[in-house]
Amino acid sequence: MLAITPGGLSLMRGRSLRLASLWRITRRDGQVFRFAVHDRPLPFREEDFATYTYTPVQGIDPSSLEMPNGLEDLNLEVDGVTGTTITSDDLRAGLFRNAAVSEFVVNWRFPWAGAIVTTAYTMESLRFNGEDWKADMSGVGKRLTQRVGRRHSRRCDADLGDGRCAAPLGPFTFAAELAQSVSPSSPRQVFVLSGAPAGGLGDDFWTEGTVEWTGGSNAGVVSEVQKSTDGGGGSYTLTLYLPTPNDIQIGDAFTVIAGCNKTATICTSKFANLVNFQGYPTMPGSDKALQGP
């Protein structure tokens, strides 16, 4: 989305143009960050008619941008380093994934005149190596190229417990606090779930499930379970797909929900919910199409 205000147009015609970029990043949790690619703080009045201060930031380097014609996609790549504002813990937790980004190009001598150009992005494919991060940002035009709708497959395309699945999650949800020590070699990825209902749930009962951390240093983070191993007596060793931002410690509170591998077999035997199965298990594959008479 591009827009030029009357005040900005007047400055352009007067040839008194000194450009600075203002960046507003709105994370998924609602927290807002405001940066100025400049050497001093700049006040700027936003869409809600409130004035906010954009502070100078070091270590963020956006790539050059060429304005496309028509509805062509607008892409931008940004390199940065972690610091006190964009921290490594927040990046590990994925809090900046799919964040909404607005860029306001202003005349730094007259920021009160409004933005000369306004551009909206979505932060995608965020990569992080511990110190540096790189984000690919796409404009709103990319949404016009995305496929919308269902894809027919043999597996279910609903999320466990959502409106289409309608499976009750109560019997498959367990809340607890970590009581046993975690793996010394993987303190952010492997932990022991104890006190769960005993009764031979099996090794893969929690596999492909989710863990929502409700207490401790990882509170608010949702992790996906890669593997669960039944240790007997209501004890299970859970391995996460991705490590948590901080070490998992004894006393951390969490809620774990059983996993579903999206097959009709598990939907029947584990959840007794085949009537709401959103896949097509008997759909013929390409082998049937290639068969001769």
Side-chain angles (χ1 to χ4, degrees):
M1 178 183 67
L2 303 177
I4 300 179
T5 62
L9 186 60
S10 176
L11 291 173
M12 293 174 66
R13 289 172 175 171
R15 298 183 180 179
S16 57
L17 205 58
R18 296 169 176 85
L19 299 180
S21 292
L22 307 180
W23 292 83
R24 182 183 65 196
I25 302 176
T26 305
R27 294 192 326 197
R28 294 183 303 164
D29 59 358
Q31 188 168 352
V32 180
F33 300 85
R34 293 177 173 88
F35 307 119
V37 185
H38 196 52
D39 59 358
R40 66 180 183 183
L42 294 176
F44 179 71
R45 188 174 66 173
E46 296 184 358
E47 302 93 326
D48 59 357
F49 300 103
T51 300
Y52 300 91
T53 299
Y54 285 70
T55 57
V57 61
Q58 301 293 331
I60 294 182
D61 182 24
S63 64
S64 59
L65 178 65
E66 180 179 353
M67 295 298 180
N69 295 322
L71 297 177
E72 294 182 17
D73 191 22
L74 181 66
N75 295 318
L76 182 68
E77 187 177 82
V78 178
D79 298 327
V81 296
T82 58
T84 57
T85 304
I86 299 181
T87 65
S88 57
D89 290 342
D90 289 346
L91 290 171
R92 288 194 189 97
L95 296 179
F96 286 92
R97 189 178 299 117
N98 295 324
V101 181
S102 298
E103 180 187 12
F104 308 101
V105 179
V106 301
N107 187 312
W108 59 263
R109 292 190 63 185
F110 310 103
W112 45 263
I116 299 172
V117 177
T118 300
T119 313
Y121 305 94
T122 299
M123 189 176 291
E124 298 180 343
S125 61
L126 188 65
R127 301 178 295 279
F128 170 62
N129 64 6
E131 296 181 357
D132 303 329
W133 56 270
K134 183 186 296 289
D136 294 327
M137 298 195 293
S138 62
V140 294
K142 186 174 182 180
R143 300 178 186 176
L144 300 177
T145 65
Q146 295 177 343
R147 294 183 178 181
V148 179
R150 296 185 60 188
R151 182 179 64 179
H152 291 71
S153 69
R154 295 177 181 176
R155 291 179 178 267
C156 179
D157 64 352
D159 292 327
L160 181 63
D162 68 5
R164 293 191 297 140
C165 170
L169 296 182
F172 306 98
T173 303
F174 182 71
E177 291 186 0
L178 194 65
Q180 298 186 29
S181 59
V182 298
S183 171
S185 59
S186 303
R188 299 186 179 188
Q189 201 164 4
V190 180
F191 67 99
V192 177
L193 165 66
S194 57
L201 297 180
D203 284 337
D204 293 325
F205 185 80
W206 307 104
T207 300
E208 303 298 336
T210 58
V211 177
E212 180 180 357
W213 300 96
T214 56
S217 57
N218 293 308
V221 176
V222 178
S223 304
E224 296 181 351
V225 180
Q226 181 183 29
K227 180 182 179 182
S228 68
T229 304
D230 188 353
S235 176
Y236 298 84
T237 300
L238 304 186
T239 302
L240 306 178
Y241 273 105
L242 297 175
T244 55
N246 303 292
D247 288 352
I248 303 171
Q249 300 177 352
I250 293 178
D252 287 356
F254 61 92
T255 300
V256 58
I257 301 176
C260 176
N261 66 0
K262 310 293 186 179
T263 63
T265 302
I266 289 297
C267 187
T268 303
S269 61
K270 187 174 182 177
F271 300 100
N273 194 42
L274 186 62
V275 66
N276 292 318
F277 186 72
Q278 299 297 320
Y280 301 87
T282 60
M283 183 176 67
S286 58
D287 55 334
K288 293 293 183 181
L290 297 176
Q291 280 183 354

